[in-house]
Amino acid sequence: MKVSKSFEVFAKEAPEVQAAWMETVQKLDAASKLDKKTEELAYIAVMAAVRLESGIPFHVKMAKSNGATRDEIISAILVGLPAVGNIVTTSLPAAIEAYDED
């Protein structure tokens, strides 16, 4: 799966830091008690809430590959509405486009 342009640049321009980051990410993933689909849906919700839209397509595809439905993706994004407001809706177009690809 294709990562965001910003993550590609991170890997190219700071490979040692990126490798350390990925090692940490993998350790955190291994420590999670959530199943992969739930973990990806939760991650999508957080990304939408903090406006990290560049990573949304990658994680939508990960969630989809782990069995998430289109409606679950949309719900994951919108779950943050009460806490952070309608800013989460800015992630919807990228999420839907990524889900509908392929």
Side-chain angles (χ1 to χ4, degrees):
M1 274 184 261
K2 186 172 171 32
V3 296
S4 69
K5 181 69 174 169
S6 57
F7 203 81
E8 286 177 0
V9 171
F10 175 40
K12 180 181 177 198
E13 299 298 331
E16 291 177 3
V17 177
Q18 191 264 355
W21 176 256
M22 288 309 298
E23 182 180 335
T24 300
V25 168
Q26 290 167 353
K27 287 179 179 178
L28 290 168
D29 186 52
S32 177
K33 303 304 179 203
L34 297 174
D35 63 84
K36 296 300 178 195
K37 180 178 104 171
T38 303
E39 186 174 356
E40 286 297 335
L41 290 171
Y43 200 76
I44 290 165
V46 171
M47 292 182 86
V50 298
R51 302 182 70 185
L52 288 176
E53 294 156 21
S54 66
I56 292 282
F58 178 86
H59 288 282
V60 164
K61 289 178 186 220
M62 290 292 293
K64 183 178 180 180
S65 73
N66 282 289
T69 67
R70 193 174 194 269
D71 287 341
E72 287 174 322
I73 299 293
I74 293 168
S75 292
I77 289 171
L78 298 180
V79 74
L81 275 168
V84 298
N86 72 348
I87 195 66
V88 296
T89 63
T90 61
S91 295
L92 279 173
I96 292 167
E97 182 179 322
Y99 192 90
D100 290 346
E101 285 180 354
D102 301 322

